[in-house]
Amino acid sequence: MMNGDANYPLRDPLSQDDPEVYAIIRREKDRQFRGLEMIASENYTSRAVNDCLSSCLTNKYSEGMVGQRYYGGNEHIDEIETLCKERCLKAFGLDPEKWGVNVQPYSGSPANFAVYTALVEPHGRIMGLDLPDGGHLTHGFYTATKKVSATSIFFESMPYKINLSTELIDYDQLQDNARLFKPRMIIAGVSCYPRHLDYARFRQICDENGSLLMADMSHVSGLVATGLTSNPFEHCDVVTTTTHKTLRGPRSGVIFYRRGQKGVDKTGQPIMYDYEDKINQAVFPGLQGGPHNHQIAGVAVAMRQAADPTFKEYQQQVIKNAQALASGLKEAGYRIVTGGTDNHLVWVNMKSVGLSGGKAEKILEDVSIACNKNTVPGDKSALNPSGIRLGTPALTTRNMKENDIATVVKFIDEAFKIAIDVQTKSGPKLVDFKKVLKEEEFETRVVSLRNQVEAFARKFPIPGLDEL
Ligand code: DSN
């Protein structure tokens, strides 16, 4: 405090006001620089997006829609939200007469829940890809003993599956089951699936059963915006997305819905889509309070960036890098689920080299490569999965190209070789594996590899972040 001014400490930068929190953030920033970020759902936002996230917009409450707020002082918040909505439609080439958008969901899970709340009656039926097969929790996940996701508590969920021989979505089985289950909504969306989705087939199955079709394009929205994967807007009623994965914006969620005329009835009268009010009201006041305006500003910036031609070059490189990663790992003897990738992620089945997904994730983490363990087709439990999921969006933002990915493949292969040697000594239990990993002969190999990974990673700047 200075000169009796009680507000003075509020002007201190974080480093002075709260050195403890500042130090943790510095350590995380250092981790981001020295490591290889290969979690398929992560990316690095731009400086401009980061500027929005730390802006004064976080101070403002603005419940309601543009021009109809429950609090005063929202003239500039209205400008931001209006601009964000315009840019969302533009980024995906949508006609505002035919599509509307709600940009207030805090992230992807609330966005999905809002759509179900709006368009599926309580205990109405939904069908999404099963989580162990590459689906997402919010597409209705439950197990034999537990309704895990609220989307399986409040709605009746029947999953569809991967065909175990092709490792692709089993559209035929989905069709058979949908004929019996008659879902109110089918969800076309994935959390771990490296192939293009067949939205036309989903639409056909929906039309047979009077079902709505929702796409959750969170993982691939950057590829959709640039025309590099199949386009959900051609066939779906509703499309949700997070904005921080391939799209490279802030953490947030967006719901697109069809609007305007749907068709004509038997008497020639127009039939209109009725999703807009239902979805807007489900978001607020149904599920949320005040929108996070700093995030909405960040989404506006990211959507503008997504419409820039350079964004297509970036997404093309994301795919080339993922394909280089898949083929490099394959050549090194690893089994790639579906045999390759069309998008930003590579799904690796570790069974063929005798490592669990948990051990693969652990050894990579120890050498500063972040990824996540993941179920593979045929796995029974999400708790002890047999594979890992790797992605290239973040490395590509650091300007890595295929030759850099070849180096990354060598690091990953070397890490797995260490893990296999450790397991030979430790046996299969993860707890024993972790103990043996700390023994000097293995620790020396891990440290040496980690030093190489970190020296390599530090050569690649992160565009939105200054070095420490
Ligand atoms: N956690 C995100 C993912 O990794 O796919 C989705 O919620």
Side-chain angles (χ1 to χ4, degrees):
M1 209 179 297
M2 188 178 268
N3 299 330
D5 178 0
N7 284 324
Y8 181 73
L10 298 183
R11 296 216 295 263
D12 285 344
L14 180 64
S15 54
Q16 286 171 38
D17 180 74
D18 195 331
E20 198 178 354
V21 168
Y22 178 74
I24 295 171
I25 293 176
R26 269 182 75 99
R27 290 201 291 278
E28 169 57 15
K29 192 171 172 186
D30 182 56
R31 189 197 65 81
Q32 293 191 13
F33 270 101
R34 68 184 152 74
L36 296 176
E37 190 54 73
M38 301 192 73
I39 291 177
S41 48
E42 292 186 15
N43 211 331
Y44 301 104
T45 58
S46 63
R47 178 181 299 274
V49 167
N50 284 331
D51 285 349
C52 294
L53 293 177
S54 62
S55 72
C56 64
L57 299 178
T58 196
N59 296 332
K60 191 71 194 105
Y61 256 125
S62 57
E63 276 105 327
M65 303 304 290
V66 172
Q68 299 167 306
R69 305 286 185 181
Y70 287 80
Y71 292 77
N74 272 306
E75 61 268 38
H76 305 301
I77 299 301
D78 278 0
E79 287 177 60
I80 280 287
E81 190 169 327
T82 302
L83 185 63
C84 183
K85 291 164 83 159
E86 286 168 5
R87 288 180 174 182
C88 285
L89 295 177
K90 188 162 175 231
F92 291 95
L94 302 174
D95 176 351
E97 297 291 317
K98 296 186 176 155
W99 284 90
V101 60
N102 186 308
V103 296
Q104 295 189 3
Y106 300 141
S107 199
S109 300
N112 288 349
F113 207 85
V115 173
Y116 308 147
T117 303
L119 303 182
V120 182
E121 71 279 13
H123 294 285
R125 296 176 178 184
I126 59 173
M127 294 184 82
L129 181 61
D130 209 5
L131 180 124
D133 293 39
H136 190 254
L137 276 168
T138 60
H139 301 167
F141 182 57
Y142 62 97
T143 68
T145 53
K146 194 166 182 204
K147 292 191 169 186
V148 180
S149 167
T151 57
S152 69
I153 298 174
F154 297 108
F155 305 97
E156 302 303 322
S157 160
M158 173 187 262
Y160 56 90
K161 305 285 291 178
I162 294 283
N163 177 310
L164 288 182
S165 49
T166 61
E167 300 186 322
L168 301 173
I169 289 175
D170 194 335
Y171 292 98
D172 293 338
Q173 192 192 55
L174 165 61
Q175 181 160 30
D176 289 345
N177 287 342
R179 282 175 181 155
L180 297 171
F181 192 59
K182 298 275 181 245
R184 168 75 176 145
M185 178 176 279
I186 295 181
I187 301 128
V190 299
S191 186
C192 186
Y193 189 71
R195 300 299 181 182
H196 302 307
L197 294 186
D198 187 348
Y199 295 109
R201 185 77 199 274
F202 278 113
R203 178 80 259 168
Q204 178 224 335
I205 297 169
C206 283
D207 287 347
E208 268 188 33
N209 297 288
S211 314
L212 298 169
L213 179 57
M214 173 182 121
D216 175 350
M217 63 167 183
S218 294
H219 263 266
V220 294
S221 48
L223 306 181
V224 173
T226 48
L228 296 172
T229 187
S230 44
N231 188 341
F233 293 99
E234 288 170 12
H235 299 285
C236 296
D237 297 288
V238 177
V239 178
T240 62
T241 186
T242 49
T243 52
H244 47 273
K245 298 186 173 91
T246 46
L247 204 55
R248 207 162 57 180
R251 306 190 80 87
S252 200
V254 168
I255 304 169
F256 296 91
Y257 48 81
R258 280 191 191 267
R259 65 200 296 264
Q261 189 171 338
K262 186 177 183 183
V264 284
D265 68 15
K266 286 179 196 149
T267 65
Q269 293 302 306
I271 306 170
M272 308 301 283
Y273 284 107
D274 63 352
Y275 307 150
E276 181 159 5
D277 287 349
K278 290 176 178 172
I279 287 173
N280 287 341
Q281 284 165 28
V283 174
F284 173 83
L287 292 165
Q288 294 191 173
H292 291 180
N293 297 305
H294 54 308
Q295 287 177 277
I296 290 174
V299 173
V301 170
M303 292 291 176
R304 196 208 78 241
Q305 292 171 345
D308 190 276
T310 56
F311 195 65
K312 182 157 187 172
E313 289 164 26
Y314 162 68
Q315 298 294 347
Q316 282 166 329
Q317 191 63 48
V318 165
I319 296 173
K320 282 188 208 163
N321 284 350
Q323 290 175 340
L325 179 64
S327 57
L329 288 171
K330 222 162 144 178
E331 275 164 34
Y334 299 95
R335 209 174 98 52
I336 306 302
V337 180
T338 82
T341 182
D342 297 327
N343 59 25
H344 64 299
L345 69 83
V346 178
W347 199 1
V348 192
N349 186 334
M350 300 301 298
K351 278 186 207 163
S352 58
V353 293
L355 284 176
S356 66
K359 284 178 201 138
E361 179 192 292
K362 166 70 181 147
I363 192 73
L364 291 182
E365 185 177 58
D366 280 11
V367 300
S368 293
I369 299 175
C371 79
N372 64 282
K373 57 183 169 295
N374 214 100
T375 48
V376 295
D379 271 349
K380 297 283 173 280
S381 158
L383 297 176
N384 185 22
S386 309
I388 55 169
R389 184 186 67 165
L390 296 163
T392 54
L395 297 190
T396 310
T397 294
R398 293 181 83 168
N399 207 21
M400 290 191 195
K401 302 284 193 305
E402 292 96 313
N403 59 331
D404 304 308
I405 297 298
T407 306
V408 172
V409 168
K410 284 194 191 123
F411 291 146
I412 292 173
D413 183 38
E414 177 57 26
F416 290 160
K417 289 199 164 99
I418 298 173
I420 290 165
D421 291 345
V422 170
Q423 185 172 251
T424 304
K425 187 163 179 190
S426 72
K429 283 195 182 152
L430 185 60
V431 44
D432 299 329
F433 177 86
K434 285 183 180 171
K435 253 186 243 159
V436 172
L437 192 53
K438 289 199 184 112
E439 290 178 6
E440 200 184 333
E441 64 172 307
F442 299 114
E443 177 75 5
T444 311
R445 287 171 70 187
V446 166
V447 170
S448 160
L449 182 57
R450 184 167 63 228
N451 288 342
Q452 292 172 57
V453 170
E454 294 189 353
F456 172 79
R458 282 190 193 282
K459 288 195 285 187
F460 298 87
I462 299 175
L465 292 178
D466 290 329
E467 295 259 11
L468 288 174

